[in-house]
Amino acid sequence: MPHTPVPADELSARLSRLRCAMSRRDPAWSMMLLDNKIDLYYLTGTMQEGALVITPDEAVLFVRRSFACAQQESMFPDIRPMGSFRSIAEAFPQIPDTVYVTARTMTLQKLTLLQKYLPFAPKAADDVLSGLRAVKSEYELSCMRRAGKLHQLVIEEVAPVLLRHGISEARLCSEICTYMLDRGAMGISRFNQPVAEDVLGIASFSENSLRASALDSPSGNIGTCIAMKSIGSSERCLHDGDTVLLDIPCGYCGYHTDKSITFYFGALSAHPQGSLIRAAREQCVFLENEIASMLQPGAVPAEIYEKILACVDPAFRDGFMNACKFLGHSIGLTMDESPVLAKGFTAPLEAGMTLAVEPKIALEGIGLIGCENTYEIVQHGPAQSLTGRCDTEFEVIC
């Protein structure tokens, strides 16, 4: 059965918003050329090898492979086959001196190939595209709400049942992801950071959750091997007295939600530092609720960040966020979008934005304790969680 395409009116509205944003940025702009698969999906509804050329009056998707696939799954009105970038030069013989591109993803190799046929000076338009994607349409929100419902079910209700003596981190992560996949999840999570890879998520037991990784995230993981710091170890198995950190995204039709949960496997009263672990968990729940109450139109991310830092219990400040300098991040077609709840982000929040809020505390010798949910900013009142609660079941006794 064919997948449901992104509606044509949705694609048309995104293109119109992009043109308006570009005209505000540069009234004299005359061409944009995009090649990143996420940008192509956002604006055309298909992920192919090719390039999207946008001018104030035209928009053409040139596809190298697969043109037939693009025609089948995209509602974009003008899709053309492309043997090489010469096809773009033939369709647009008057290439302007300056063409806007996404500097974050445009490689030097791709730029060299383009300039062989299209002599232009590139100019970055990353901020315009990220600004558009930050505010979700009703279609996008419906995808994220669906992902969030599945996410809540699996992480809050299914995951505790899967915890058992001797299960490895890798097996636990794979079982959770398989359960999501069987119920309509897209099966992968995408990142925007150059150091990140498309991954399933992570399951970490006790000390492994404190491991540092190249990804800018408080959640740690030993990975399947040195070359893959994701999923979890096939050798580290679950025992009584372990903390269990699950930081496993969920996605539907390209759109992600993010959720983390911490369990204690066994009776917390039996742990010599049980009171400290419980206090850290209660602190994270308190902080997530505080942040969520501040996520309203007009609020400034940098100000939220400073206010929350001042609320952190002094006993947990050294391990708060495990050395990361943020509290949450925008999320949508990729896990790590803008804005971020951190210093330097001063543009006010807007209704329709979606942010993952993830307070976490590193306890030396114990593990990472924390929670995370994805929130939708609404026009009036506090943000609404798409992925469930933060004050979930904590102790799991088998």
Side-chain angles (χ1 to χ4, degrees), residues 190-366:
R190 294 189 170 99
F191 285 82
N192 200 29
Q193 297 181 41
V195 297
E197 297 177 279
D198 295 350
V199 298
L200 295 177
I202 62 171
S204 295
F205 302 155
S206 295
E207 72 284 349
N208 281 354
S209 62
L210 299 176
R211 297 267 186 162
S213 66
L215 182 64
D216 188 16
S217 169
S219 299
N221 185 255
I222 196 171
T224 57
C225 61
I226 293 175
M228 174 48 69
K229 299 294 187 180
S230 181
I231 302 175
S233 169
S234 60
E235 298 179 356
R236 177 57 165 96
C237 297
L238 186 61
H239 307 292
D240 279 335
D242 276 331
T243 59
V244 178
L245 172 70
L246 302 178
D247 194 346
I248 300 175
C250 184
Y252 177 76
C253 286
Y255 288 87
H256 304 80
T257 51
D258 205 2
K259 183 175 178 70
S260 299
I261 196 167
T262 308
F263 297 108
Y264 182 83
F265 190 67
L268 190 56
S269 59
H271 194 289
Q273 293 181 284
S275 59
L276 176 66
I277 296 172
R278 188 176 299 280
R281 199 291 181 116
E282 291 174 351
Q283 171 80 160
C284 290
V285 170
F286 165 76
L287 292 173
E288 182 178 321
N289 285 327
E290 284 294 298
I291 297 168
S293 71
M294 298 179 186
L295 297 180
Q296 300 186 37
V300 176
E303 294 177 2
I304 294 175
Y305 179 74
E306 294 297 338
K307 289 176 183 177
I308 292 299
L309 284 188
C311 293
V312 177
D313 188 318
F316 299 123
R317 284 179 183 167
D318 288 346
F320 185 60
M321 293 303 291
N322 203 13
C324 290
K325 305 299 183 183
F326 67 93
L327 298 172
H329 52 89
S330 183
I331 184 170
L333 285 174
T334 60
M335 295 290 297
D336 50 337
E337 301 199 343
S338 184
V340 179
L341 298 178
K343 290 182 178 180
F345 290 85
T346 57
L349 298 175
E350 301 178 43
M353 288 184 171
T354 49
L355 290 97
V357 175
E358 54 173 322
K360 294 184 172 75
I361 295 170
L363 297 179
E364 186 176 355
I366 296 174

Side-chain angles (χ1 to χ4, degrees), residues 20 48 51 63-64 69 79 104 113 117 145 188-189 240 247 281 296 325 351 356 384 387:
C20 289
Q48 306 301 324
V63 176
R64 188 192 303 274
C69 183
I79 306 175
R104 189 182 185 93
L113 290 172
Y117 303 105
R145 290 167 188 154
I188 199 74
S189 55
D240 279 335
D247 194 346
R281 199 291 181 116
Q296 300 186 37
K325 305 299 183 183
Q384 298 178 354
T387 52

